[in-house]
Amino acid sequence: MVARPCFRIVVAASALLALSARVALVHAQPVTSEQADTQRIEDLVIANHILADQNILDAWGHVSIRSARNPKRFYLSRSLAPGLVKAADIMEYDEDSKPVDPGGRALYLERFIHGEVYRARPDVQAVVHSHSPAVIPFSMTGVPLRMAFLLGAFLGSGAPVFEIRGAAGNASNMQVTDQSRGAALAKRLGSAEIVLMRGHGDTVVGPTIKVAVARAVYAEANARIQMDAIRLGRPVYFTDGEAATLKKMEDEERSVIRPWELWKAQAQRRMAAP
Amino acid sequence: MVARPCFRIVVAASALLALSARVALVHAQPVTSEQADTQRIEDLVIANHILADQNILDAWGHVSIRSARNPKRFYLSRSLAPGLVKAADIMEYDEDSKPVDPGGRALYLERFIHGEVYRARPDVQAVVHSHSPAVIPFSMTGVPLRMAFLLGAFLGSGAPVFEIRGAAGNASNMQVTDQSRGAALAKRLGSAEIVLMRGHGDTVVGPTIKVAVARAVYAEANARIQMDAIRLGRPVYFTDGEAATLKKMEDEERSVIRPWELWKAQAQRRMAAP
Amino acid sequence: MVARPCFRIVVAASALLALSARVALVHAQPVTSEQADTQRIEDLVIANHILADQNILDAWGHVSIRSARNPKRFYLSRSLAPGLVKAADIMEYDEDSKPVDPGGRALYLERFIHGEVYRARPDVQAVVHSHSPAVIPFSMTGVPLRMAFLLGAFLGSGAPVFEIRGAAGNASNMQVTDQSRGAALAKRLGSAEIVLMRGHGDTVVGPTIKVAVARAVYAEANARIQMDAIRLGRPVYFTDGEAATLKKMEDEERSVIRPWELWKAQAQRRMAAP
Amino acid sequence: MVARPCFRIVVAASALLALSARVALVHAQPVTSEQADTQRIEDLVIANHILADQNILDAWGHVSIRSARNPKRFYLSRSLAPGLVKAADIMEYDEDSKPVDPGGRALYLERFIHGEVYRARPDVQAVVHSHSPAVIPFSMTGVPLRMAFLLGAFLGSGAPVFEIRGAAGNASNMQVTDQSRGAALAKRLGSAEIVLMRGHGDTVVGPTIKVAVARAVYAEANARIQMDAIRLGRPVYFTDGEAATLKKMEDEERSVIRPWELWKAQAQRRMAAP
């Protein structure tokens, strides 16, 4: 009966999806840091696909998560377009952004963004670097990217912009390809949640990977709304009090459960497609 | 014969779809309010998916329908991205926006938008709250969103904007998270069909859910056309007579049968996909 | 053997697609006007789906083709979103835009656009009426839509705009819902290939349905390019000689074989999807 | 057993995909120029589909690759929308843009773009001609298209614009339909990597087809970012040193492995879909 294997594969795939959905929802019991890292790697793979689906990462950019087992380390894919990343592509990096087990694989040139941000910001559990297209004009015109709608509270009243000339000179490749450039970027980030990179893109951080992913998505959405509002008239922005209240809500993972569930379902549907 | 179950499932799914299509078309005979509510819940699920497909609702926003059985009550999903809503997620709320049977489920924080609008506007049968991206710039620049093409008659010569500071103070979370804020929003809505919410989005109402859904879609389309027209030159808008004539047509459900059928077919195709 | 019917349906569908592709390519031998009308109806169904796929027609707008058997008549779908149209939905209309055999079906309110354009323009074989969103701003700002790239030659140095107030008064529904309004629209069209309709959309004509469909698609593309160019600087348009040379090429059906084949393949793929 | 053929076809298609993926990765051993041309034709088919997927080529435009066996010749599809091109559609052209074996097939009218660019630029291995929509406004307003983000280094500080009136007179069809127009275009291109064509589109070249494809995609992305930046404020562009450093990186094929792999996977998925 030739059709049988096909049917079994479908069943197996459905079971796997159901299982992974269940795993993601069962958070209540205490987990070991080993278990936590298994979960983090699973979330990191999904985060790669979500950011590809949402048009934040295309062939470029990357997303990482800090290790729970060893908080000086982090997980990041080998050099690969995020939309193609599988669990087997995830590598562990040490605090100097060196792979623990290189295995002869090509590495992201800008992995130092991640290592240096984790070093400078113990509160950060996840980092996204992207070429978010609507954000780039704000990186090169002196017009500050700022909270322009409810979901942009992490932008505050003007996101910092990193000018790499200070760290890399006047004729660099503009990229964060070593520790010193990573440290300079982390310094410019300071205590903010996003730093724009002139003519290049941005780096977003979060207290969890779900928050970091949502911020990366909403930075782009906020930039489009802000550009439209500026072209239309004189925008009224948020009061400091409103911004602070919304920022506090936005910091908590429960504020992003709804988008994460939606985007994950969409990513899993695409990943399971033939 | 291993392939059999697969085939049967396909048949069953097709039959269900055919059935639901039939149910939606057979309106002629008198229906009890029980039957009407079954139909309303079915339409509400489809409305959630249509608004997700049309990029009006993403992870956020929600759509509700008034109960036919008990017009003080309304139906609304538990807290969930609209693109994931199934019939089992729909809950019944009373006039104070309290769930009749909470069942331990998470609720939309801004459910009070719905309850207070239904209280203030007996003519309204459905409410959509969204973060419609092209509408937001009009909520924060003083430039009124107004009818800019044939399908925007419900916008009139300038949609009202709700400034939440009056109801919630200068440092609020900007959201309609209690009855008093809901009442203030409903008051600003007045007898209009849409109210913009500063830096946040909008709320649209309708005499039927099909009309409300179409209005939510065309508010976004109208906003884009209006922005383009303003950037291009000095737009000529509609006469009061034209606006009134078109508004009268637009109020009737038969004016939206064609889009509803198309959007429903698209939503059902996506919902039935593996 | 339960799986058999499924397989046979797939085979049958593939055969049909292959057949219709073959039919479309075999043009060489002389055809009777009966055969020609069969082909025209087939092309009209595809045109509906192409214009839906290309985002020119959504729930609204319609496309028609003149009858070869009786050139005073034309074919047009019953009232239905173009993306849902099948051969069985196509109806024959007489020169007064009355259906030859109404069969109790709902009709497009603006069918008079088609009838009156066919009456006034014997050279026209197909008509598209749409709410093309980038075209609408040109209908209401006094800025003429004109040829802004190679594929916009049919726009000439400024498309005519139809102001319906002359024909329908100051408080109309803005729609071409009777013969006199249709005649007024046709008069404003004159010998042009497109007429914009203030705050509403446009009507495009062509010597074949393939040319008319391509014009409807490129009117939208041209409008976006022209808006971008106007925002960027002072556009240099085409010389009269260039425009005339390109217009002559564009009039011939062979100039649109390539897009028609592509769009048709895309439409058929979607139409055949489960 | 009726379902069998279906299953076998699926297996065969998967095997083919796996094989072609393997072929693309095994580059290490020395290849004959015959083998190289087989690979080039395979890459050319993929390039057609990538450029269609990325919305750079629609029904129009084309991409070619130089022959490795005979560098005076090049490969280019017969006249066909790029999204429909298969290996059997690829034809070999000589240095005068004449097909070596016409086989009665329709040819792209603007094939002379390719032949004359290959003649003038021995370093060029691939050529893309497109109607890239965001690039066209820069071709007709005097505002130079220039490097506005990291991936636009090949644009330098202002891309040359080809005014065809010099070669074709004041009433031409604007198209590069003979050798002399092709030579004039190649002359305007000079040593640049892109030349804009007034009111028409652009032509992009590369030292490999992967680099040329990436440039075509990033020219469009850069144009959108540059338009947005100009509308937002006064853009800060790149220093000459930065531009030179990035240009040197961008010239090398390894800089585009990541996008090519992603885009190829996406194109193959679509090509394999029913």
Side-chain angles (χ1 to χ4, degrees), chain B residues 119-141:
Chain B
R119 190 196 307 274
R121 287 279 298 271
D123 60 309
V124 165
Q125 297 295 319
V127 177
V128 181
H129 167 57
S130 82
H131 296 175
S132 205
V135 170
I136 295 177
F138 290 92
S139 78
M140 58 192 282
T141 50

Side-chain angles (χ1 to χ4, degrees), chain A residues 2 58-60 79-81 84 108 136-138 140-141 143 165 170-175 198-200 231 270, chain D residues 4 7 148-151 218 228-229 232 234-239 241-242 245-246 249 255 258-259 262 269:
Chain A
V2 180
D58 47 8
W60 306 104
S79 176
L80 190 66
L84 301 178
Y108 289 131
I136 295 177
F138 290 93
M140 57 192 282
T141 50
V143 178
R165 285 177 199 163
N170 277 328
S172 79
N173 66 3
M174 305 271 302
Q175 286 161 69
R198 191 250 313 160
H200 178 169
R231 289 171 196 161
R270 186 179 49 71
Chain D
R4 216 176 285 167
F7 180 70
F149 85 133
L150 212 59
L151 298 171
Y218 294 134
D228 278 337
L232 194 61
R234 189 175 293 274
V236 173
Y237 294 107
F238 293 76
T239 67
E242 288 168 346
T245 302
L246 284 161
M249 287 182 73
S255 78
R258 223 189 298 166
L262 174 68
R269 177 178 296 205

Side-chain angles (χ1 to χ4, degrees), chain C residues 118-142:
Chain C
Y118 288 123
R119 191 197 306 274
R121 285 278 298 269
D123 60 308
V124 165
Q125 297 295 319
V127 176
V128 181
H129 166 57
S130 83
H131 296 175
S132 204
V135 170
I136 294 177
F138 290 93
S139 78
M140 57 192 281
T141 50

Side-chain angles (χ1 to χ4, degrees), chain C residues 133-178:
Chain C
V135 170
I136 294 177
F138 290 93
S139 78
M140 57 192 281
T141 50
V143 178
L145 179 68
R146 55 183 298 178
M147 180 183 189
F149 84 134
L150 211 58
L151 298 171
F154 63 97
L155 298 169
S157 57
V161 178
F162 176 59
E163 171 50 84
I164 200 167
R165 285 175 201 165
N170 276 328
S172 79
N173 66 2
M174 304 273 301
Q175 288 162 68
V176 181
T177 46
D178 62 33

